[in-house]
Amino acid sequence: MSHEALTPLQRAFLALEKTRAKLDSLERAKREPIAVVGIGCRTPGDGDDAAALWELLRSGRDAVGPVPADRWDRERAYSPDPDAPGRTMARDGGFLSRVDGFDAELFGISPREAQGMDPQQRLVLEVAWEALENAAIAPDRLQTSRTGVYLGIASNDYLHLLLHAGDPRLLDAHFMSGIAHSIASGRLSYLLGLQGPSLSIDTACSSSLVAVHLACQALRSGECDAALAGGVNVILSPDISVAYSRSRLLSPDGRCKTFDASADGIARGEGCGIVVLRRLSDALASGD
């Protein structure tokens, strides 16, 4: 029977059924599990991929260590007195072995532009690429896709280093794009040609957790069909540690002892982690 042949009551009933089915679908989507189909990471202790990170966790190794020599003078910046001006109580932390290496050519970035980029932006590009490889997703397959980027990023040490360098030649177009938190997520979306939401999120220590939370919400609400979500942090200067010391927030041995009677402050660490997320039904349908 054609739609025109239906009585007004029958047409209203069909419209109601369609609306009910759509609402049921949206309600199911709100509760649908989210699948992690790919992982990329850089962590202290050389956790440079999912397998290495798992081994680090399984073995219970302590990844906290001395400040790398190429960051700052560890001994000169140290003082056991938390009120010592310009000094920090902690000589150790969770540091990556290297943050200065970057394959700019792979991402179509010139050497001069790469120099102006915050190492946090460089890490995001590399780790997101590796997360897609881990998911067996060719990056060029995502061109024009409804893939979102949700990135937790809070620190801006590189900005301060460039300003303190006192070289006005560094304050160019690459400076503006290289240090902006908004560009960190936008650059990844631009590189891959993504057409989903692209957000940089700063909620301090919870930034990466909030990024993953928002990505899951977006997947369930249908704002995107896949998401790259995670966070990045790189420590290039002792300045924030000095402020933490003077505020009596920093653990002197650089180790966090949550829920322990010996807890005596926070510990600082750096790294990058990106997960590729999809709705479980879509992941299963695609054979992820």
Side-chain angles (χ1 to χ4, degrees):
M1 182 181 295
S2 68
H3 188 271
E4 292 74 16
L6 297 175
T7 66
L9 182 60
Q10 288 173 320
R11 286 197 293 270
F13 179 76
L14 284 176
L16 180 62
E17 285 298 302
K18 288 181 180 179
T19 301
R20 181 180 297 165
K22 186 174 182 179
L23 290 174
D24 288 344
S25 176
L26 289 173
E27 191 60 33
R28 285 194 301 273
K30 289 179 183 178
R31 299 190 300 270
E32 182 169 7
I34 302 299
V36 179
V37 300
I39 297 174
C41 63
R42 294 278 197 287
T43 75
D46 297 322
D48 290 345
D49 55 39
L53 176 59
W54 171 245
E55 181 57 29
L56 180 68
L57 294 170
R58 191 185 67 81
S59 63
R61 276 201 296 124
D62 184 356
V64 172
V67 177
D70 60 353
R71 306 297 179 88
W72 63 83
D73 189 328
R74 173 175 178 255
E75 296 304 324
R76 187 176 180 182
Y78 170 73
S79 173
D81 178 7
D83 290 320
R87 300 292 185 266
T88 170
M89 293 189 299
R91 287 179 285 191
D92 295 339
F95 292 95
L96 299 177
S97 56
R98 286 194 63 191
V99 295
D100 58 345
F102 179 59
D103 188 354
E105 186 177 357
L106 173 65
F107 301 104
I109 295 171
S110 70
R112 176 61 192 91
E113 183 175 6
Q115 182 186 10
M117 287 171 61
D118 188 326
Q120 296 180 126
Q121 290 193 23
R122 303 177 210 161
L123 272 174
V124 167
L125 295 184
E126 291 180 337
V127 173
W129 192 278
E130 291 167 8
L132 291 172
E133 289 181 335
N134 182 254
I137 296 174
D140 57 2
R141 276 179 46 198
L142 296 177
Q143 189 84 19
T144 73
S145 69
R146 296 176 70 250
T147 300
V149 173
Y150 296 82
L151 179 69
I153 180 170
S155 63
N156 49 19
D157 286 2
Y158 198 61
L159 164 63
H160 297 148
L161 288 180
L162 291 178
L163 292 177
H164 292 163
D167 185 351
R169 292 172 298 180
L170 297 175
L171 307 183
D172 57 10
H174 300 314
F175 169 79
M176 293 187 296
S177 61
I179 53 86
H181 284 173
S182 56
I183 299 297
S185 55
R187 192 187 291 273
L188 180 57
S189 295
Y190 176 79
L191 171 74
L192 299 174
L194 311 180
Q195 295 188 356
S198 188
L199 284 73
S200 294
I201 297 144
D202 178 1
T203 58
C205 298
S206 63
S207 298
S208 57
L209 180 64
V210 174
V212 173
H213 171 72
L214 293 177
C216 291
Q217 282 191 332
L219 286 166
R220 288 179 172 134
S221 67
E223 292 180 36
C224 56
D225 296 327
L228 292 159
V232 64
N233 188 55
V234 174
I235 305 170
L236 300 173
S237 162
D239 293 347
I240 297 300
S241 295
V242 170
Y244 282 164
S245 291
R246 301 198 72 179
S247 303
R248 308 302 198 273
L249 293 174
L250 198 63
S251 172
D253 66 0
R255 287 164 175 80
C256 186
K257 311 167 190 73
T258 308
F259 307 124
D260 193 280
S262 64
D264 56 359
I266 66 170
R268 300 201 68 200
E270 60 185 11
C272 182
I274 302 285
V275 290
V276 184
L277 304 176
R278 300 192 70 189
R279 290 180 290 269
L280 179 61
S281 57
D282 291 341
L284 292 173
S286 298
D288 288 330

